[in-house]
Amino acid sequence: MPTTVPVAPAAADRRRWIALAVVLTASFMDLVDATIVNIALPRIQQDTGATFSALQWVTAGYALAFALGLITGGRLGDIHGRRRVFLLGMAGFTVASALCGFAATPGMLVGARVLQGAMAALMVPQVLAIIHVSFPAHERGKVFGMFGAVIGLGAVCGPLIGALLTQGDLFGLGWRPIFLINLPVGIAGILLGRRFLTESRSPEALRLDLVGTVLATAGLLLLLYPLTQGRESGWPLWGFVSMALSPVVLALFVRYERAKARKDGSPLVELSLFRVRTFAAGAGVQLTFGAVTGLFFLIWTLYMQLGLGWGPLHAGLTGVPFSLACSAAAGMSVQKLVPRFGRKVLQAGALIMLAGALLYLWQAGRQGTAMTSLQMVPAMVLMGAGMGLIVAPLTDAAISDVPAEHSGSASGIFNTTGQLGMALGLGLSSVAFFGVTGDPGRPGGAAGASFVDATVHALWWVSAGLVLVFGLLFLLPRRARTQHAAEDGAVPQGGADRAPAERQPAPVG
């Protein structure tokens, strides 16, 4: 059993609720940081002279580092102590936020964002594990309800906080307060965490797979780096060579993971899970859906601010109907619709999102640079509602046929897949969006009309991705079986790779 420090009942009760507040604040901070940045990208570009490829890396670097470190971060918590690794991650996240806020060049900002994502990968996987060891099974329903509310609040508040801080230009710092706001929150979290969090470890922790992590990172970078930088460099030969080498390295990764599983049973990715058809299909949905949302949120932000000339606050407020529709639909999906209609709810969500994307595409082509927020609302409500119907029940549907003893590992891999999809979608924006603007990648080079044309072109890519998502959903079970692990309240072993997925694609960026 995990080790705990014995304390008096009343004190223990107070400590665990304060500890819950600390870990929920960390989750909120991470989710807000993933959604807060897009709204400030035009100001970052204007202030730093960043190329559009650098702006892509500001968002994709965070998602990629988070995804690649997620499983390793969970295992480090199991081995060395969840409290210790959580506090280390929060401290690193706070320092990285300061580096982002004081970055003088685009390269410094990208590097700090990668560090921030890596530190989030240490911090976030410990949250559910700490909750599991801090609360008995009969209280976890209420606690996870609070956890879900925090995630929903973070998704809605992130863009608005980013818009207010960027538009407000606090102390003449422009966009920088969107990162610096993490400093007082992070410091308070570290001080409270040191006092109130109880240490716990797993008696059966899986070993680290650092070689697997390096191979996976190399394979993905060989694809994403030239995909992101290639347009700016004129699509040189080295880029195509690099992308051709990516599947070779990823094949080596698969081979190594199989050998690692035979050797000590601790591979980074449990490849046997992909023999379960529903899990493989669900991972395909998650990857595609992550790419679709990553691409859409980036082009949407740039379209509003660089194409239509709106300020950050105007753009942020325009996204409120999307967030509200997404939150409302997510709640209905899990509580009422999926138990009755099963897989059809997710498929309906994909079709509703597709209808919203096509409506937005038509409106953008018809209105051009004269588009108003009111004209955008119907498409945003459709896309938000459709997304809510998908993201909330997707994990349970995908892992419903996975054996109960592997459900946590499947959830961790599934969460990682979504983050990788987002990074891929941001990389694809070089072709789907920036390749149409005719802009060399520096501020002021593209007129608003060019951004409208690029948005229309990219929305066809988004629509095609949603059609693929709809098709892949047919491979999921008609009705998901209830996961036994969720019912019996077992303590998760393995952090991120053995705890339920706790982070969905951000509803707004």
Side-chain angles (χ1 to χ4, degrees), residues 116-160:
Q116 203 178 30
M119 293 299 103
L122 292 180
M123 177 176 68
V124 172
Q126 318 310 325
V127 172
L128 286 182
I130 289 173
I131 289 175
H132 267 274
V133 300
S134 300
F135 292 88
H138 70 274
E139 289 185 338
R140 288 186 198 139
K142 178 172 66 175
V143 172
F144 285 131
M146 297 170 63
F147 178 80
V150 166
I151 287 184
L153 185 64
V156 173
C157 291
L160 289 179

Side-chain angles (χ1 to χ4, degrees), residues 44 164 190 242 335 350 365 459 494:
I44 292 173
L164 289 169
I190 294 167
S242 176
Q335 296 173 13
L459 283 171

Side-chain angles (χ1 to χ4, degrees), residues 273-454:
L273 291 171
F274 290 93
R275 297 184 191 133
V276 180
R277 191 191 70 168
T278 53
F279 179 78
V285 171
Q286 182 81 323
L287 183 70
T288 307
F289 193 71
V292 166
T293 54
L295 173 62
F296 174 73
F297 293 135
L298 178 64
I299 66 171
W300 182 26
T301 299
L302 296 180
Y303 168 70
M304 288 189 290
Q305 296 191 59
L306 297 181
L308 303 181
W310 296 352
L313 186 58
H314 187 174
L317 291 173
T318 302
V320 170
F322 182 104
S323 296
L324 294 178
C326 184
S327 298
M332 290 180 59
S333 176
V334 172
Q335 296 173 13
K336 297 181 179 180
L337 298 179
V338 170
R340 183 175 179 183
F341 300 105
R343 182 184 68 194
K344 293 179 181 179
V345 176
L346 285 82
Q347 293 174 311
L351 292 178
I352 291 171
M353 273 197 83
L354 176 61
L358 292 175
L359 177 59
Y360 189 9
L361 190 156
W362 177 74
Q363 283 278 58
R366 181 168 176 261
Q367 301 296 334
T369 56
M371 176 84 86
T372 66
S373 294
L374 190 60
Q375 291 168 333
M376 202 181 290
V377 166
M380 291 299 96
V381 170
L382 285 173
M383 292 201 72
M387 183 174 182
L389 293 177
I390 295 173
V391 296
L394 179 57
T395 300
D396 283 343
I399 69 174
S400 63
D401 288 341
V402 171
E405 64 270 21
H406 295 302
S407 60
S409 181
S411 295
I413 295 171
F414 200 72
N415 195 22
T416 297
T417 302
Q419 297 299 316
L420 291 176
M422 282 187 155
L424 178 60
L426 292 165
L428 286 173
S429 64
S430 291
V431 179
F433 183 78
F434 295 115
V436 180
T437 63
D439 175 67
R442 297 202 173 271
S450 297
F451 278 92
V452 174
D453 293 339

Side-chain angles (χ1 to χ4, degrees), residues 35-406:
T35 59
I36 201 173
V37 175
N38 277 9
I39 206 73
L41 287 178
R43 294 292 176 90
I44 292 173
Q45 184 194 47
Q46 182 181 5
D47 186 39
T48 65
T51 63
F52 282 123
S53 62
L55 294 184
Q56 289 171 264
W57 280 115
V58 168
T59 51
Y62 184 98
L64 186 61
F66 180 87
L68 292 171
L70 185 61
I71 294 176
T72 299
R75 292 185 186 176
L76 284 170
D78 285 347
I79 296 169
H80 298 290
R82 294 159 184 148
R83 173 183 179 272
R84 178 183 298 177
V85 175
F86 174 84
L87 292 175
L88 176 62
M90 179 168 269
F93 191 90
T94 304
V95 171
S97 297
L99 294 175
C100 288
F102 294 116
T105 66
M108 289 177 61
L109 179 58
V110 170
R113 281 287 286 173
V114 171
L115 178 62
Q116 203 178 30
M119 293 299 103
L122 292 180
M123 177 176 68
V124 172
Q126 318 310 325
V127 172
L128 286 182
I130 289 173
I131 289 175
H132 267 274
V133 300
S134 300
F135 292 88
H138 70 274
E139 289 185 338
R140 288 186 198 139
K142 178 172 66 175
V143 172
F144 285 131
M146 297 170 63
F147 178 80
V150 166
I151 287 184
L153 185 64
V156 173
C157 291
L160 289 179
I161 294 173
L164 289 169
L165 292 176
T166 305
Q167 187 90 19
D169 191 21
L170 299 179
F171 308 108
L173 294 174
W175 52 270
R176 299 178 188 276
I178 69 172
F179 298 112
L180 298 178
I181 194 175
N182 288 334
L183 270 62
V185 178
I187 292 171
I190 294 167
L191 295 176
L192 290 172
R194 283 176 58 87
R195 181 174 179 182
F196 293 103
L197 287 178
T198 300
E199 187 61 281
S200 66
R201 293 179 176 84
S202 169
E204 301 175 358
L206 297 179
R207 298 181 181 181
L208 298 181
D209 183 7
L210 298 181
V211 174
T213 301
V214 170
L215 286 173
T217 302
L220 291 167
L221 285 178
L222 284 170
L223 172 64
L224 291 176
Y225 184 80
L227 190 62
T228 303
Q229 298 291 137
R231 180 194 62 85
E232 185 179 307
S233 303
W235 298 110
L237 178 62
W238 64 260
F240 294 99
V241 173
S242 176
M243 286 188 281
L245 287 174
S246 174
V248 176
V249 175
L250 291 176
L252 289 175
F253 166 74
V254 170
R255 185 173 181 179
Y256 176 81
E257 290 299 283
R258 288 173 177 165
K260 177 76 170 173
R262 290 192 299 267
K263 180 181 179 182
D264 59 19
S266 297
L268 182 69
V269 175
E270 184 58 63
L271 296 176
S272 63
L273 291 171
F274 290 93
R275 297 184 191 133
V276 180
R277 191 191 70 168
T278 53
F279 179 78
V285 171
Q286 182 81 323
L287 183 70
T288 307
F289 193 71
V292 166
T293 54
L295 173 62
F296 174 73
F297 293 135
L298 178 64
I299 66 171
W300 182 26
T301 299
L302 296 180
Y303 168 70
M304 288 189 290
Q305 296 191 59
L306 297 181
L308 303 181
W310 296 352
L313 186 58
H314 187 174
L317 291 173
T318 302
V320 170
F322 182 104
S323 296
L324 294 178
C326 184
S327 298
M332 290 180 59
S333 176
V334 172
Q335 296 173 13
K336 297 181 179 180
L337 298 179
V338 170
R340 183 175 179 183
F341 300 105
R343 182 184 68 194
K344 293 179 181 179
V345 176
L346 285 82
Q347 293 174 311
L351 292 178
I352 291 171
M353 273 197 83
L354 176 61
L358 292 175
L359 177 59
Y360 189 9
L361 190 156
W362 177 74
Q363 283 278 58
R366 181 168 176 261
Q367 301 296 334
T369 56
M371 176 84 86
T372 66
S373 294
L374 190 60
Q375 291 168 333
M376 202 181 290
V377 166
M380 291 299 96
V381 170
L382 285 173
M383 292 201 72
M387 183 174 182
L389 293 177
I390 295 173
V391 296
L394 179 57
T395 300
D396 283 343
I399 69 174
S400 63
D401 288 341
V402 171
E405 64 270 21
H406 295 302

